[in-house]
Structures are given as C-alpha cells and as structure tokens.
Amino acid sequence: MKIDKSKISGVKFMFTVACFVQSSSLLTAFLTPILKQESWIAVLIGALICIPLVCLFRTIMVMFPDKNLIQIFEDVYGTIAGKIIGVAYLWFFLTLSSLNLVDFGDFTKLTLMKRTPLIVLLIMCIIVCTIAVRNGFKLVTKYSTLFTT
C-alpha cells in the first residue's frame, strides 16, 4: 500500500461529497416511506461510522509503508495466521463487492437501462472501477461532476 499524495480542488471535493450523498440516498430510499423527512439521519450515521474506519486504515498505512494488507497481517500475526486472516479478509471483500455489484446492476437495469443485459452493466462497472483504482483518487474526483448532473 502506498499513500496517495495527489491533491484535489475544493470544487472537485464538493462534487465527490455530492456523489456520496446521492448514492447514500439511493441506498436508503427504501426507508423513506417509514422515516419520511428524517431519512438523512441514516446517511449521517453511516458517514459517522465510517470515519473511525478510515482513520484506522490511514494509521495502518502510515505504520507500514510500502506493504500490502496481507504483508501487514503476516508481520503482526505471524506467517500462517497472517495468511489465514488475509485470505478471510479477501474473501469478505470479494463477497461484499460481488453483492454490491449485483445490487448496482439490478438498480440500473430496473430504473435506467431496462433492455440492457445485466452482464453488460456488470462488466462496464468492473471496467470503470478498475480504471478508477488504477489511476487513483484524483481521476475519480475529476469525473465526479459528470455523475452529479
């Protein structure tokens, strides 16, 4: 892992936050009939829960520069236990990613692209995510203005 030292402007950051709020609102839309105008509280609670996790991962990245997560697990827990924990973490990440990907594909197919095969939507999402991961946070914020309009 390496710390991304790229800088973004305040406007790009604002649009990135707007994308986050929009996506959170879509994910919590099923609560609207129950909570009515208090639905924003779910988004706020979700953001507050994520802040300590982001701080934890940042601290780990500073403590173990130039190492990936499995190497960090091996340093902390030993070779065998570190690999077992690393594989379990990867399994959890892949399972969660696949569930989110299918939810995204179902939502897009249901609301926007009714005739498009689900596999095409999923492959396009995987390609976009791969490009974003490969090119960093700056590229994601660069195109966030397109997604808020």
Side-chain angles (χ1 to χ4, degrees), residues 124-145:
M124 292 305 293
C125 182
I126 291 171
I127 290 170
V128 168
C129 290
T130 303
I131 292 169
V133 167
R134 194 170 281 276
N135 293 319
F137 183 70
K138 195 169 184 177
L139 181 80
V140 173
T141 59
K142 181 178 179 181
Y143 293 110
S144 63
T145 53

Side-chain angles (χ1 to χ4, degrees), residues 56-93:
L56 175 69
F57 279 110
R58 186 201 174 278
T59 303
I60 290 172
M61 287 174 58
V62 169
M63 290 175 60
F64 298 96
D66 300 327
K67 289 192 176 186
N68 63 33
L69 197 57
I70 295 178
Q71 290 171 339
I72 294 170
F73 285 145
E74 287 178 2
D75 286 351
V76 173
Y77 297 109
T79 306
I80 296 172
K83 287 187 182 186
I84 291 171
I85 293 170
V87 167
Y89 186 84
L90 284 174
W91 180 257
F92 170 75
F93 174 75

